[in-house]
Amino acid sequence: MTATARLTARALTTAAALTLAGAVVAGTASAAAADSGEGEQVMLKGATTASYYWDDASGRAGDTGLPASGKPMQKGLAASPSWPLMTEGYVLYKGRKAPFFVGDRGPGIPSNRGIMLDLDAKTFADLTGGEFNADTLGVDGNGGKGHIKVTYVITKWGKGVGTKNHPKPFASGAWAVKDKNPAAPVTVKTAPAVPAKDLVATVLRTATR
């Protein structure tokens, strides 16, 4: 290859790298904002271990009736040991985001061990890459996961009794007490991203070697 050809090839490679870097920066920024809600004003943000359930009053999974809110069991209905019923929010798990509302009470005894959120089985299946089994009311095909570490974000508190702050075990009785001192709203923040200029520089160094 002649010197002119080498220079032309390098110029084309550099231009392509710049285009790619720009696309990566834009795509990363928009995806991060969409997935994490960065910059959003919310009521509360934290982390906990989540389990799953599906109580449809059929008795098939040992349930005792409809959820405490009176709402039928459905995708997006979660149980909390202390948040007010009809509280709304979403969870984040390995880049996946799922909305929920508090329509039931629980987990019970598991909340003493730090399992502070019971997601519905269909949402749990979506988050873990499994499938909801309509016969067993469980989740199949997710490697046996029954508990996962999630980030929770509360966007709206329910109006009834319950703790408007980080969850408390069911045994504490916080679910039956009117909270007169809710947590102060917060702004969702994520870990700082790699500055665009640094990302572009890295791509260029690699492309022009």
Side-chain angles (χ1 to χ4, degrees):
M1 182 182 290
T2 66
T4 299
R6 283 197 300 273
L7 287 173
T8 300
R10 177 167 293 185
L12 290 172
T13 300
T14 301
L18 279 169
T19 300
L20 175 61
V24 169
V25 170
T28 299
S30 60
D35 292 342
S36 68
E38 184 176 6
E40 176 186 13
Q41 187 78 12
V42 299
M43 299 296 102
L44 186 71
K45 180 182 178 182
T48 190
T49 299
S51 52
Y52 75 86
Y53 79 119
W54 190 271
D55 284 355
D56 63 357
S58 68
R60 286 180 293 164
D63 57 90
T64 56
L66 289 174
S69 64
K71 300 286 185 180
M73 193 68 211
Q74 59 192 276
K75 186 174 183 179
L77 188 155
S80 167
S82 61
W83 290 332
L85 294 174
M86 305 314 295
T87 289
E88 300 176 9
Y90 58 86
V91 293
L92 300 169
Y93 176 71
K94 293 188 175 181
R96 296 178 179 178
K97 179 178 179 180
F100 72 86
F101 72 93
V102 177
D104 205 358
R105 288 295 174 212
I109 294 175
S111 62
N112 295 331
R113 304 193 303 271
I115 303 170
M116 296 290 191
L117 187 62
D118 227 355
L119 298 170
D120 73 273
K122 292 182 180 180
T123 292
F124 195 91
D126 287 347
L127 289 171
T128 59
E131 294 183 357
F132 174 66
N133 187 320
D135 293 323
T136 65
L137 306 183
V139 176
D140 299 333
N142 70 348
K145 292 185 180 69
H147 299 87
I148 56 176
K149 296 287 188 179
V150 299
T151 296
Y152 60 78
V153 176
I154 301 301
T155 57
K156 179 182 177 182
W157 291 117
K159 296 180 180 180
V161 294
T163 300
K164 297 179 179 180
N165 210 315
H166 296 293
K168 296 181 180 180
F170 185 83
S172 71
W175 54 271
V177 179
K178 185 72 173 181
D179 193 344
K180 298 179 180 179
N181 187 31
V186 297
T187 299
V188 174
K189 295 181 180 179
T190 57
V194 178
K197 61 183 181 64
D198 293 344
L199 180 58
V200 171
T202 299
V203 174
L204 285 175
R205 282 198 301 274
T206 302
T208 55
R209 284 175 182 171

